[in-house]
Amino acid sequence: GAVVSQHPSRVICKSGTSVKIECRSLDFQATTMFWYRQFPKKSLMLMATSNEGSKATYEQGVEKDKFLINHASLTLSTLTVTSAHPEDSSFYICSAVDKYWNTIYFGEGSWLTVV
Amino acid sequence: DAKTTQPPSMDCAEGRAANLPCNHSTISGNEYVYWYRQIHSQGPQYIIHGLKNNETNEMASLIITEDRKSSTLILPHATLRDTAVYYCIVGYSTLTFGKGTMLLVSP
C-alpha cells in the first residue's frame, strides 16, 4: 500500500485563486520531503526540498513566493500555489524520506488545472 | 542535470526478462543507484536501489558493475502491467530525474 499520500488527486481552480496540495507520510516520520512538477510527456522536475521545521530550499527558477511550501510536522508537507495562472496547470508530485535516508517514496501525484 | 543515460525506449515480449541498462559514469562514492517506474498519470513507484552490491527483491534485480559506472535493472518475467517509463537515478539526498526508458511489454 501507499506510504506517501497526496490530496487532492485532482483539483480545478479559477485563475487568481490559491490552491493547497497536501503530502503525508503514512508509515514513517519524513524529515525531508521533496516537491516535483511534471508536464505532459516530460520527466519530473524538482521544485524544492523541505526539511521539517525549516524553510524550503527552492531550485533555480522556481518562484518561492508563488509556490509556498510548509513542512510543519514530520508527517505533513503542503504546497500552496498562489495566484494561480493557467500555466501553473500541471502534475505535482511529492516524495518523502525518513531520517535514516531509507527508500524515498513518492505520492500518487496531484493534477492541478487552472481555468 | 541528470547524471544518467538510458535508452529512450525498449520492447520486451511478455514472459521474457526485461534488461534495462543505465550509464552513470560520474557517480560519486556515496551516491546510490535508484530505479523507479512511472505508469501514466501516476506517481513514480519505487523498484529497487543499491550502492555497490547487486540487489534483488520481489520486483526486480539490480546489477551494478564493479566500477559502478553502469547498472542493469532486470525484470525476470515481464508482464503487460510492467509497461511504464523506467527511471534510473543516482544520488543521495536529492533525486534528479532524467528522461527514462519507455518499456513496452507486448503479448
Side-chain angles (χ1 to χ4, degrees), chain A residues 6 21 34-48 59 61-63 66-67 69 79 81-82 84-95 106 109-114, chain B residues 38 42 44 87 95 97-98:
Chain A
Q6 282 186 239
I21 300 171
F34 305 88
W35 286 94
Y36 293 81
R37 184 176 182 177
Q38 187 175 31
F39 292 104
K41 298 185 179 182
K42 298 293 185 182
S43 187
L44 283 76
M45 180 188 74
L46 180 65
M47 298 175 67
E59 295 297 303
V62 178
E63 300 176 62
K66 179 168 187 60
F67 298 100
I69 292 172
L79 167 67
V81 182
T82 63
H85 290 164
E87 55 264 32
D88 298 327
S89 299
S90 189
F91 190 46
Y92 292 89
I93 309 167
C94 72
S95 65
F106 286 79
S110 298
W111 282 101
L112 169 63
T113 302
V114 184
Chain B
Q38 187 177 29
Q42 297 181 22
Y87 294 100
L95 300 186
F97 283 74

Side-chain angles (χ1 to χ4, degrees), chain B residues 5-62:
Chain B
T5 303
Q6 298 177 253
S9 63
M10 292 184 65
D11 295 325
C12 180
E14 187 178 21
R16 305 297 295 268
N19 297 286
L20 290 83
C22 180
N23 287 323
H24 33 79
S25 58
T26 61
I27 190 170
S28 300
N30 64 344
E31 290 182 318
Y32 285 79
V33 179
Y34 293 89
W35 282 85
Y36 289 82
R37 69 182 182 185
Q38 187 177 29
I39 298 171
H40 181 62
S41 299
Q42 297 181 22
Q45 178 189 21
Y46 168 79
I47 302 174
I48 199 167
H49 77 285
L51 184 61
K52 295 181 180 179
N53 300 322
N54 298 337
E55 302 288 344
T56 296
N57 62 21
E58 64 276 8
M59 289 184 66
S61 294
L62 172 61

